[in-house]
Short mmCIF file of all heavy atoms in Angstrom, two decimals:
data_model
loop_
_atom_site.label_atom_id
_atom_site.label_comp_id
_atom_site.label_asym_id
_atom_site.label_seq_id
_atom_site.Cartn_x
_atom_site.Cartn_y
_atom_site.Cartn_z
N MET W 1 -4.91 3.98 -2.05
CA MET W 1 -3.53 3.86 -1.63
C MET W 1 -2.88 2.63 -2.25
O MET W 1 -1.72 2.67 -2.62
CB MET W 1 -3.48 3.78 -0.11
CG MET W 1 -2.10 3.87 0.43
SD MET W 1 -2.02 4.08 2.21
CE MET W 1 -2.90 5.59 2.47
N ALA W 2 -3.64 1.56 -2.37
CA ALA W 2 -3.10 0.33 -2.95
C ALA W 2 -2.68 0.55 -4.40
O ALA W 2 -1.73 -0.08 -4.87
CB ALA W 2 -4.12 -0.80 -2.87
N ASN W 3 -3.35 1.47 -5.09
CA ASN W 3 -2.96 1.75 -6.47
C ASN W 3 -1.55 2.34 -6.55
O ASN W 3 -0.82 2.06 -7.49
CB ASN W 3 -3.98 2.65 -7.16
CG ASN W 3 -4.17 3.98 -6.48
OD1 ASN W 3 -3.96 4.11 -5.28
ND2 ASN W 3 -4.59 4.97 -7.22
N PHE W 4 -1.16 3.11 -5.55
CA PHE W 4 0.20 3.64 -5.52
C PHE W 4 1.21 2.51 -5.32
O PHE W 4 2.28 2.52 -5.91
CB PHE W 4 0.37 4.67 -4.41
CG PHE W 4 -0.33 5.99 -4.67
CD1 PHE W 4 -1.20 6.51 -3.73
CD2 PHE W 4 -0.10 6.70 -5.82
CE1 PHE W 4 -1.83 7.73 -3.95
CE2 PHE W 4 -0.73 7.91 -6.06
CZ PHE W 4 -1.60 8.43 -5.12
N VAL W 5 0.86 1.55 -4.47
CA VAL W 5 1.74 0.40 -4.26
C VAL W 5 1.90 -0.36 -5.56
O VAL W 5 3.00 -0.78 -5.93
CB VAL W 5 1.19 -0.52 -3.15
CG1 VAL W 5 2.01 -1.79 -3.04
CG2 VAL W 5 1.17 0.22 -1.81
N MET W 6 0.81 -0.53 -6.30
CA MET W 6 0.87 -1.24 -7.57
C MET W 6 1.75 -0.50 -8.59
O MET W 6 2.30 -1.11 -9.49
CB MET W 6 -0.54 -1.46 -8.13
CG MET W 6 -1.32 -2.46 -7.28
SD MET W 6 -2.91 -2.88 -7.96
CE MET W 6 -2.42 -3.80 -9.40
N GLN W 7 1.87 0.81 -8.44
CA GLN W 7 2.74 1.60 -9.31
C GLN W 7 4.20 1.53 -8.87
O GLN W 7 5.07 2.09 -9.52
CB GLN W 7 2.29 3.06 -9.31
CG GLN W 7 0.94 3.29 -9.93
CD GLN W 7 0.46 4.72 -9.74
OE1 GLN W 7 1.17 5.59 -9.23
NE2 GLN W 7 -0.77 4.97 -10.14
N GLY W 8 4.46 0.87 -7.74
CA GLY W 8 5.82 0.72 -7.27
C GLY W 8 6.32 1.87 -6.41
O GLY W 8 7.53 2.00 -6.18
N ARG W 9 5.42 2.69 -5.91
CA ARG W 9 5.83 3.83 -5.10
C ARG W 9 6.16 3.42 -3.67
O ARG W 9 5.58 2.49 -3.14
CB ARG W 9 4.74 4.90 -5.09
CG ARG W 9 4.49 5.46 -6.46
CD ARG W 9 3.77 6.73 -6.39
NE ARG W 9 3.43 7.21 -7.72
CZ ARG W 9 2.78 8.33 -7.92
NH1 ARG W 9 2.40 9.07 -6.90
NH2 ARG W 9 2.50 8.70 -9.15
N THR W 10 7.08 4.14 -3.07
CA THR W 10 7.46 3.89 -1.68
C THR W 10 6.45 4.56 -0.74
O THR W 10 5.66 5.40 -1.17
CB THR W 10 8.85 4.45 -1.38
OG1 THR W 10 8.79 5.89 -1.50
CG2 THR W 10 9.90 3.89 -2.33
N ASN W 11 6.53 4.19 0.54
CA ASN W 11 5.66 4.84 1.52
C ASN W 11 5.90 6.35 1.55
O ASN W 11 4.95 7.12 1.67
CB ASN W 11 5.90 4.25 2.91
CG ASN W 11 5.34 2.85 3.06
OD1 ASN W 11 4.73 2.31 2.14
ND2 ASN W 11 5.57 2.26 4.21
N ALA W 12 7.16 6.75 1.44
CA ALA W 12 7.48 8.19 1.45
C ALA W 12 6.86 8.89 0.24
O ALA W 12 6.32 10.00 0.38
CB ALA W 12 8.99 8.38 1.47
N GLU W 13 6.92 8.27 -0.90
CA GLU W 13 6.34 8.87 -2.11
C GLU W 13 4.81 8.96 -2.00
O GLU W 13 4.21 9.96 -2.39
CB GLU W 13 6.72 8.06 -3.35
CG GLU W 13 8.19 8.15 -3.70
CD GLU W 13 8.62 7.17 -4.77
OE1 GLU W 13 7.98 6.11 -4.95
OE2 GLU W 13 9.63 7.46 -5.45
N ILE W 14 4.20 7.92 -1.46
CA ILE W 14 2.76 7.92 -1.27
C ILE W 14 2.36 9.02 -0.30
O ILE W 14 1.41 9.77 -0.55
CB ILE W 14 2.27 6.54 -0.76
CG1 ILE W 14 2.52 5.47 -1.82
CG2 ILE W 14 0.79 6.59 -0.39
CD1 ILE W 14 2.33 4.04 -1.32
N ALA W 15 3.09 9.13 0.80
CA ALA W 15 2.80 10.15 1.80
C ALA W 15 2.89 11.55 1.20
O ALA W 15 2.01 12.39 1.44
CB ALA W 15 3.76 10.02 2.98
N ALA W 16 3.92 11.79 0.42
CA ALA W 16 4.09 13.12 -0.19
C ALA W 16 2.95 13.41 -1.17
O ALA W 16 2.42 14.52 -1.20
CB ALA W 16 5.43 13.19 -0.91
N GLU W 17 2.56 12.41 -1.94
CA GLU W 17 1.49 12.58 -2.92
C GLU W 17 0.14 12.88 -2.25
O GLU W 17 -0.65 13.66 -2.74
CB GLU W 17 1.37 11.31 -3.78
CG GLU W 17 0.31 11.35 -4.84
CD GLU W 17 0.67 12.19 -6.05
OE1 GLU W 17 1.86 12.43 -6.29
OE2 GLU W 17 -0.26 12.61 -6.76
N MET W 18 -0.08 12.23 -1.10
CA MET W 18 -1.37 12.36 -0.41
C MET W 18 -1.36 13.42 0.70
O MET W 18 -2.39 13.62 1.35
CB MET W 18 -1.77 11.00 0.17
CG MET W 18 -1.99 9.94 -0.89
SD MET W 18 -2.53 8.36 -0.20
CE MET W 18 -4.21 8.78 0.25
N PHE W 19 -0.21 14.05 0.91
CA PHE W 19 -0.06 15.08 1.95
C PHE W 19 -0.40 14.53 3.34
O PHE W 19 -1.11 15.16 4.13
CB PHE W 19 -0.92 16.31 1.65
CG PHE W 19 -0.62 16.93 0.32
CD1 PHE W 19 -1.47 16.74 -0.76
CD2 PHE W 19 0.53 17.68 0.13
CE1 PHE W 19 -1.20 17.29 -2.00
CE2 PHE W 19 0.82 18.25 -1.11
CZ PHE W 19 -0.05 18.05 -2.17
N ILE W 20 0.12 13.35 3.64
CA ILE W 20 -0.05 12.73 4.94
C ILE W 20 1.30 12.25 5.45
O ILE W 20 2.27 12.21 4.69
CB ILE W 20 -1.07 11.56 4.90
CG1 ILE W 20 -0.62 10.48 3.90
CG2 ILE W 20 -2.47 12.05 4.57
CD1 ILE W 20 -1.52 9.25 3.85
N ALA W 21 1.35 11.86 6.71
CA ALA W 21 2.60 11.36 7.29
C ALA W 21 2.90 9.96 6.78
O ALA W 21 2.01 9.17 6.50
CB ALA W 21 2.50 11.35 8.81
N GLU W 22 4.19 9.65 6.70
CA GLU W 22 4.62 8.34 6.25
C GLU W 22 4.09 7.22 7.16
O GLU W 22 3.72 6.15 6.69
CB GLU W 22 6.14 8.29 6.17
CG GLU W 22 6.68 7.11 5.41
CD GLU W 22 8.17 7.20 5.17
OE1 GLU W 22 8.75 8.31 5.26
OE2 GLU W 22 8.77 6.15 4.88
N ILE W 23 4.03 7.48 8.46
CA ILE W 23 3.51 6.47 9.40
C ILE W 23 2.03 6.20 9.12
O ILE W 23 1.56 5.07 9.32
CB ILE W 23 3.76 6.89 10.87
CG1 ILE W 23 3.44 5.74 11.83
CG2 ILE W 23 2.96 8.12 11.24
CD1 ILE W 23 4.37 4.57 11.74
N THR W 24 1.30 7.20 8.66
CA THR W 24 -0.11 7.01 8.31
C THR W 24 -0.23 6.05 7.14
O THR W 24 -1.10 5.18 7.13
CB THR W 24 -0.78 8.36 7.98
OG1 THR W 24 -0.59 9.25 9.09
CG2 THR W 24 -2.25 8.20 7.68
N VAL W 25 0.65 6.18 6.17
CA VAL W 25 0.67 5.27 5.02
C VAL W 25 0.96 3.86 5.51
O VAL W 25 0.27 2.90 5.14
CB VAL W 25 1.71 5.70 3.97
CG1 VAL W 25 1.83 4.66 2.86
CG2 VAL W 25 1.36 7.06 3.41
N LYS W 26 1.97 3.73 6.37
CA LYS W 26 2.36 2.42 6.88
C LYS W 26 1.21 1.75 7.61
O LYS W 26 0.92 0.57 7.38
CB LYS W 26 3.56 2.57 7.80
CG LYS W 26 4.09 1.27 8.34
CD LYS W 26 5.32 1.50 9.21
CE LYS W 26 5.82 0.19 9.78
NZ LYS W 26 7.01 0.38 10.61
N LYS W 27 0.52 2.48 8.48
CA LYS W 27 -0.59 1.92 9.24
C LYS W 27 -1.76 1.56 8.33
O LYS W 27 -2.41 0.52 8.52
CB LYS W 27 -1.05 2.89 10.33
CG LYS W 27 -0.03 3.11 11.42
CD LYS W 27 0.18 1.86 12.23
CE LYS W 27 1.13 2.11 13.38
NZ LYS W 27 1.36 0.93 14.18
N ALA W 28 -2.04 2.39 7.36
CA ALA W 28 -3.13 2.10 6.43
C ALA W 28 -2.84 0.85 5.61
O ALA W 28 -3.71 0.01 5.40
CB ALA W 28 -3.36 3.29 5.50
N LEU W 29 -1.59 0.71 5.16
CA LEU W 29 -1.21 -0.48 4.40
C LEU W 29 -1.29 -1.73 5.26
O LEU W 29 -1.70 -2.79 4.78
CB LEU W 29 0.18 -0.32 3.79
CG LEU W 29 0.26 0.64 2.60
CD1 LEU W 29 1.71 0.82 2.16
CD2 LEU W 29 -0.60 0.16 1.45
N GLN W 30 -0.93 -1.62 6.53
CA GLN W 30 -1.05 -2.77 7.43
C GLN W 30 -2.50 -3.22 7.53
O GLN W 30 -2.78 -4.42 7.55
CB GLN W 30 -0.50 -2.42 8.82
CG GLN W 30 1.00 -2.32 8.87
CD GLN W 30 1.52 -1.84 10.22
OE1 GLN W 30 0.75 -1.36 11.07
NE2 GLN W 30 2.82 -1.95 10.41
N GLY W 31 -3.42 -2.27 7.57
CA GLY W 31 -4.84 -2.60 7.61
C GLY W 31 -5.29 -3.29 6.32
O GLY W 31 -6.06 -4.25 6.36
N ILE W 32 -4.79 -2.82 5.20
CA ILE W 32 -5.11 -3.43 3.90
C ILE W 32 -4.56 -4.84 3.85
O ILE W 32 -5.24 -5.77 3.42
CB ILE W 32 -4.58 -2.57 2.74
CG1 ILE W 32 -5.33 -1.23 2.69
CG2 ILE W 32 -4.70 -3.31 1.41
CD1 ILE W 32 -4.72 -0.20 1.74
N TYR W 33 -3.31 -5.01 4.29
CA TYR W 33 -2.70 -6.35 4.31
C TYR W 33 -3.56 -7.30 5.14
O TYR W 33 -3.82 -8.43 4.74
CB TYR W 33 -1.30 -6.32 4.93
CG TYR W 33 -0.21 -5.59 4.17
CD1 TYR W 33 1.01 -5.36 4.78
CD2 TYR W 33 -0.39 -5.13 2.88
CE1 TYR W 33 2.04 -4.71 4.12
CE2 TYR W 33 0.63 -4.47 2.21
CZ TYR W 33 1.84 -4.26 2.84
OH TYR W 33 2.85 -3.61 2.18
N ARG W 34 -3.97 -6.85 6.31
CA ARG W 34 -4.75 -7.69 7.22
C ARG W 34 -6.08 -8.09 6.58
O ARG W 34 -6.47 -9.25 6.63
CB ARG W 34 -4.98 -6.94 8.54
CG ARG W 34 -5.59 -7.76 9.64
CD ARG W 34 -5.65 -7.05 11.01
NE ARG W 34 -5.96 -5.62 10.97
CZ ARG W 34 -5.05 -4.64 11.10
NH1 ARG W 34 -3.78 -4.90 11.25
NH2 ARG W 34 -5.43 -3.37 11.06
N LYS W 35 -6.76 -7.14 5.96
CA LYS W 35 -8.06 -7.42 5.35
C LYS W 35 -7.94 -8.38 4.17
O LYS W 35 -8.84 -9.19 3.94
CB LYS W 35 -8.73 -6.13 4.91
CG LYS W 35 -9.23 -5.31 6.06
CD LYS W 35 -9.90 -4.04 5.61
CE LYS W 35 -10.34 -3.24 6.83
NZ LYS W 35 -11.00 -2.00 6.46
N LEU W 36 -6.83 -8.30 3.44
CA LEU W 36 -6.65 -9.17 2.28
C LEU W 36 -5.90 -10.45 2.63
O LEU W 36 -5.75 -11.33 1.78
CB LEU W 36 -5.90 -8.42 1.17
CG LEU W 36 -6.67 -7.26 0.54
CD1 LEU W 36 -5.81 -6.58 -0.52
CD2 LEU W 36 -7.97 -7.73 -0.06
N GLY W 37 -5.41 -10.56 3.85
CA GLY W 37 -4.70 -11.76 4.28
C GLY W 37 -3.34 -11.92 3.65
O GLY W 37 -2.91 -13.03 3.35
N VAL W 38 -2.64 -10.79 3.45
CA VAL W 38 -1.30 -10.82 2.87
C VAL W 38 -0.31 -10.22 3.87
O VAL W 38 -0.71 -9.56 4.83
CB VAL W 38 -1.23 -10.07 1.51
CG1 VAL W 38 -2.18 -10.71 0.51
CG2 VAL W 38 -1.55 -8.60 1.66
N ASP W 39 0.99 -10.46 3.61
CA ASP W 39 2.02 -9.97 4.53
C ASP W 39 3.01 -8.99 3.90
O ASP W 39 3.73 -8.31 4.62
CB ASP W 39 2.82 -11.15 5.10
CG ASP W 39 1.96 -12.04 5.98
OD1 ASP W 39 1.20 -11.51 6.81
OD2 ASP W 39 2.05 -13.28 5.81
N THR W 40 3.07 -8.93 2.58
CA THR W 40 4.08 -8.09 1.92
C THR W 40 3.47 -7.29 0.79
O THR W 40 2.36 -7.57 0.34
CB THR W 40 5.21 -8.96 1.33
OG1 THR W 40 4.66 -9.76 0.27
CG2 THR W 40 5.86 -9.84 2.38
N ARG W 41 4.23 -6.30 0.32
CA ARG W 41 3.78 -5.49 -0.82
C ARG W 41 3.60 -6.36 -2.06
O ARG W 41 2.64 -6.17 -2.80
CB ARG W 41 4.81 -4.39 -1.12
CG ARG W 41 4.86 -3.31 -0.09
CD ARG W 41 6.02 -2.36 -0.36
NE ARG W 41 5.62 -1.13 -1.00
CZ ARG W 41 5.16 -0.07 -0.36
NH1 ARG W 41 5.05 -0.09 0.94
NH2 ARG W 41 4.81 1.01 -1.01
N LEU W 42 4.52 -7.30 -2.26
CA LEU W 42 4.41 -8.18 -3.42
C LEU W 42 3.14 -9.00 -3.36
O LEU W 42 2.42 -9.12 -4.36
CB LEU W 42 5.64 -9.09 -3.51
CG LEU W 42 5.63 -10.11 -4.64
CD1 LEU W 42 5.52 -9.41 -5.99
CD2 LEU W 42 6.86 -10.98 -4.58
N GLU W 43 2.84 -9.57 -2.20
CA GLU W 43 1.61 -10.33 -2.06
C GLU W 43 0.38 -9.47 -2.28
O GLU W 43 -0.62 -9.91 -2.85
CB GLU W 43 1.54 -10.98 -0.68
CG GLU W 43 2.51 -12.12 -0.49
CD GLU W 43 2.49 -12.68 0.93
OE1 GLU W 43 1.84 -12.09 1.81
OE2 GLU W 43 3.14 -13.72 1.14
N LEU W 44 0.43 -8.21 -1.84
CA LEU W 44 -0.67 -7.27 -2.07
C LEU W 44 -0.90 -7.07 -3.56
O LEU W 44 -2.02 -7.16 -4.05
CB LEU W 44 -0.39 -5.94 -1.38
CG LEU W 44 -1.38 -4.81 -1.66
CD1 LEU W 44 -2.78 -5.17 -1.19
CD2 LEU W 44 -0.91 -3.52 -1.02
N VAL W 45 0.18 -6.80 -4.29
CA VAL W 45 0.08 -6.58 -5.73
C VAL W 45 -0.47 -7.83 -6.42
O VAL W 45 -1.36 -7.75 -7.28
CB VAL W 45 1.43 -6.16 -6.32
CG1 VAL W 45 1.40 -6.16 -7.84
CG2 VAL W 45 1.84 -4.79 -5.79
N MET W 46 0.03 -8.99 -6.01
CA MET W 46 -0.44 -10.24 -6.62
C MET W 46 -1.93 -10.46 -6.33
O MET W 46 -2.69 -10.88 -7.21
CB MET W 46 0.39 -11.42 -6.12
CG MET W 46 1.81 -11.40 -6.68
SD MET W 46 2.96 -12.60 -5.96
CE MET W 46 2.03 -14.09 -5.94
N ALA W 47 -2.37 -10.18 -5.11
CA ALA W 47 -3.78 -10.34 -4.75
C ALA W 47 -4.65 -9.38 -5.54
O ALA W 47 -5.73 -9.75 -6.01
CB ALA W 47 -3.95 -10.12 -3.25
N LEU W 48 -4.21 -8.15 -5.70
CA LEU W 48 -5.00 -7.16 -6.44
C LEU W 48 -5.05 -7.50 -7.92
O LEU W 48 -6.06 -7.31 -8.57
CB LEU W 48 -4.44 -5.76 -6.22
CG LEU W 48 -4.58 -5.25 -4.78
CD1 LEU W 48 -3.86 -3.91 -4.63
CD2 LEU W 48 -6.05 -5.11 -4.39
N ASN W 49 -3.93 -8.02 -8.46
CA ASN W 49 -3.93 -8.42 -9.87
C ASN W 49 -4.81 -9.63 -10.10
O ASN W 49 -5.43 -9.76 -11.15
CB ASN W 49 -2.50 -8.71 -10.35
CG ASN W 49 -1.74 -7.44 -10.67
OD1 ASN W 49 -2.32 -6.43 -11.03
ND2 ASN W 49 -0.44 -7.49 -10.51
N ALA W 50 -4.90 -10.52 -9.12
CA ALA W 50 -5.75 -11.71 -9.25
C ALA W 50 -7.21 -11.33 -9.31
O ALA W 50 -8.01 -12.00 -9.96
CB ALA W 50 -5.48 -12.66 -8.09
N ASP W 51 -7.58 -10.23 -8.63
CA ASP W 51 -8.97 -9.77 -8.63
C ASP W 51 -9.34 -9.03 -9.91
O ASP W 51 -10.51 -8.84 -10.19
CB ASP W 51 -9.23 -8.86 -7.43
CG ASP W 51 -9.26 -9.63 -6.12
OD1 ASP W 51 -9.44 -10.86 -6.16
OD2 ASP W 51 -9.11 -9.00 -5.06
N SER W 52 -8.35 -8.62 -10.68
CA SER W 52 -8.61 -7.83 -11.89
C SER W 52 -9.09 -8.68 -13.03
O SER W 52 -8.84 -9.80 -13.20
CB SER W 52 -7.35 -7.08 -12.33
OG SER W 52 -6.96 -6.21 -11.33
#
């Protein structure tokens, strides 16, 4: 799911691509943010790019 965020996709676009509800995307991203210690999509992208 994080790869979709890195591509600049919205929660709605991610949900449609994965055939899941938009709220499911939102909750999953919140879990990813928490595990990586970030608060925003930009911080997520920056953290993932730093690991690359």
